[in-house]
Amino acid sequence: MRYLKLASLSLLFALSACVYEPEQFAGSETSNEKTETGSIVAVNGGKQICNPSVSQDPENYPAAMLWLNFGGKLNVEAPDSVYTTSKVVQHDRLSVSDTSGKVLWYLMRDTEAGDCQFQDPEWSTHPNYIVALRAYDTKGNKACENLDYGVFAVRMSDKKQFFFYDKDMSEFATPHLWVNPDAVLDSSADDSKVEGFFGTSDVRLVYVNKKDQIVFVDYANGGAKKAITLKKPSGVDGWMMDSPMISPDGKYVVYNVINAAMTGWRSFIQELSKDASPFEIEKNSGMISEPVQPHWFSFAGRLFVVWAEFPQGSQYVNKNDLTDASAQNGSAGRTVMREIKLAANAPADLAFEWVDNAKEIASVPMIGGRSPDGFFLATGANNGYLLKLP
């Protein structure tokens, strides 16, 4: 998810899941609250977070979310002495924490290997993998002033990493990863190869390149050498592509296009093919705004798109205390879900069909997706929350 940075009185900005040195946000520590919308729990209460991604593994990491930290202090329960909560360096770890504030899993940056920071982490479609960016200083400066980025996956079961690209990535690449759900790991396999690391070669990656195009890489069909770029939507020249998310079947993406002021956005669905045109998720009667930060949600054989809506003219960063009743009436935004049917390689008039109207699932805006069991929504940037639905 992209984040707005304001510098002094100028209009300079950068959009990202979190930019490297964003304006710090000082929130008040919030309490847990049970409301008509569900049970809302602050994550890292009172401290700014970004890149919220709800757990895709309800078995091993239930009621949890993945997120990035800022510098200073963390308000979480550390699992061990390695995971310090004071004198924290911005973006120095990936954290998965639950509704009790306990850290269930983490990955610290490796300073010996030259890690400067993590960026854009997202839980993959497979519960055992997370994808993220890793920054390093191109001049070897420990102050990390000249950054370049690579894309890597981390295997949650053993924290081993696999680099798809070790450099030349945009800070705003917002990658997402699909792994065949039937993959089976072989402990004797070569971890330096895609098939060995993931237990299958059927692995797909999307990211936004430096030309602001969505790139699709299919590692079962040529990999990076045969990567394709998707057609961009019309009418959005100068807008920024953001947060492509691969569908559960690995055949589509859903994503944002956001204007420079971050006060306007549009969302699209597109087949992962160089010839496919994007379908816009249009604003309809009753919607607060165009949809933003869309995610896929699959349940009982049905496919949905979940998105957030914010009041027009607002930026889609949350500075509200969502545990406060005054923010739970839709005034801060809301979360919506709509069922959809898709048919790959079909004529345009048969490829895309909404099954029903959009319905509100929470009267607060949650931009981090819905858990596979359907019970949890996550959000962040600036305040982080987990919401357990009734």
Side-chain angles (χ1 to χ4, degrees), residues 345-356:
N345 301 312
D349 63 323
L350 301 175
F352 178 99
E353 179 186 359
W354 292 115
V355 175
D356 205 345

Side-chain angles (χ1 to χ4, degrees), residues 248 297-304 337 339-341 370-374:
F297 172 62
S298 179
F299 192 81
R302 301 162 68 188
L303 182 64
F304 302 84
M337 185 176 76
E339 188 172 0
I340 191 171
K341 287 184 178 179
R370 189 170 186 174
S371 60
D373 58 13

Side-chain angles (χ1 to χ4, degrees), residues 22-37:
E23 176 188 8
Q24 294 295 308
F25 173 72
S28 59
E29 189 164 354
T30 55
S31 59
N32 302 342
E33 186 72 20
K34 188 172 184 179
T35 70
E36 290 183 0
T37 233

Side-chain angles (χ1 to χ4, degrees), residues 77-356:
E77 181 184 339
D80 54 38
S81 59
V82 176
Y83 190 101
T84 56
T85 58
S86 61
K87 298 182 180 179
V88 171
V89 177
Q90 187 172 294
H91 294 193
D92 68 353
R93 69 196 71 191
L94 306 179
S95 298
V96 174
S97 63
D98 65 10
T99 53
S100 71
K102 182 179 180 181
V103 174
L104 306 180
W105 182 95
Y106 67 89
L107 179 72
M108 304 294 290
R109 66 173 181 162
D110 185 349
T111 55
E112 294 296 322
D115 289 352
C116 285
Q117 65 155 317
F118 295 126
Q119 185 67 281
D120 296 341
E122 190 74 46
W123 220 301
S124 83
T125 60
H126 193 292
N128 197 30
Y129 298 96
I130 284 170
V131 66
L133 299 179
R134 169 257 190 172
Y136 67 95
D137 191 284
T138 57
K139 297 181 179 180
N141 188 334
K142 291 185 178 180
C144 293
E145 297 172 340
N146 309 282
L147 298 182
D148 195 3
Y149 294 81
V151 178
F152 74 96
V154 56
R155 197 163 55 200
M156 303 201 63
S157 56
D158 58 11
K159 297 187 181 181
K160 288 186 177 180
Q161 298 174 45
F162 179 90
F163 272 81
F164 296 104
Y165 300 91
D166 59 7
K167 60 182 179 180
D168 296 332
M169 288 289 112
S170 166
E171 178 183 3
F172 313 127
T174 56
H176 192 233
L177 180 66
W178 181 92
V179 180
N180 189 313
D182 297 326
V184 178
L185 284 175
D186 180 354
S187 59
S188 65
D190 183 356
D191 273 349
S192 68
K193 307 294 184 183
V194 168
E195 188 168 0
F197 188 84
F198 295 99
T200 178
S201 61
D202 197 5
V203 173
R204 300 166 195 182
L205 176 72
V206 292
Y207 63 90
V208 179
N209 66 14
K210 292 180 179 179
K211 295 181 180 180
D212 219 32
Q213 302 166 308
I214 294 177
V215 178
F216 167 50
V217 187
D218 185 349
Y219 288 92
N221 291 286
K225 292 181 179 180
K226 293 188 177 181
I228 64 169
T229 55
L230 301 186
K231 290 182 178 179
K232 295 185 71 168
S234 60
V236 291
D237 290 345
W239 291 36
M240 298 185 182
M241 308 292 283
D242 178 48
S243 300
M245 303 286 290
I246 305 176
S247 60
D249 65 3
K251 296 180 180 179
Y252 296 86
V253 284
V254 64
Y255 58 91
N256 303 304
V257 182
I258 305 168
N259 70 11
M262 212 176 171
T263 56
W265 44 79
R266 295 165 63 184
S267 292
F268 296 86
I269 296 170
Q270 195 163 354
E271 189 173 348
L272 287 170
S273 165
K274 65 181 179 63
D275 299 319
S277 297
F279 293 93
E280 184 167 7
I281 307 174
E282 296 180 344
K283 179 184 177 183
N284 293 324
S285 175
M287 292 173 63
I288 296 174
S289 71
E290 283 80 4
V292 68
Q293 294 300 333
H295 287 68
W296 301 102
F297 172 62
S298 179
F299 192 81
R302 301 162 68 188
L303 182 64
F304 302 84
V305 183
V306 178
W307 65 77
E309 297 171 7
F310 291 83
Q312 288 286 47
S314 297
Q315 296 169 351
Y316 73 96
V317 292
N318 174 49
K319 294 187 178 181
N320 297 283
D321 176 1
L322 297 185
T323 66
D324 191 311
S326 64
Q328 297 169 4
N329 60 3
S331 59
R334 67 173 190 164
T335 310
V336 170
M337 185 176 76
R338 193 173 186 185
E339 188 172 0
I340 191 171
K341 287 184 178 179
L342 298 169
N345 301 312
D349 63 323
L350 301 175
F352 178 99
E353 179 186 359
W354 292 115
V355 175
D356 205 345

Side-chain angles (χ1 to χ4, degrees), residues 14-26:
L15 294 174
S16 167
C18 285
V19 293
Y20 184 58
E21 290 183 344
E23 176 188 8
Q24 294 295 308
F25 173 72

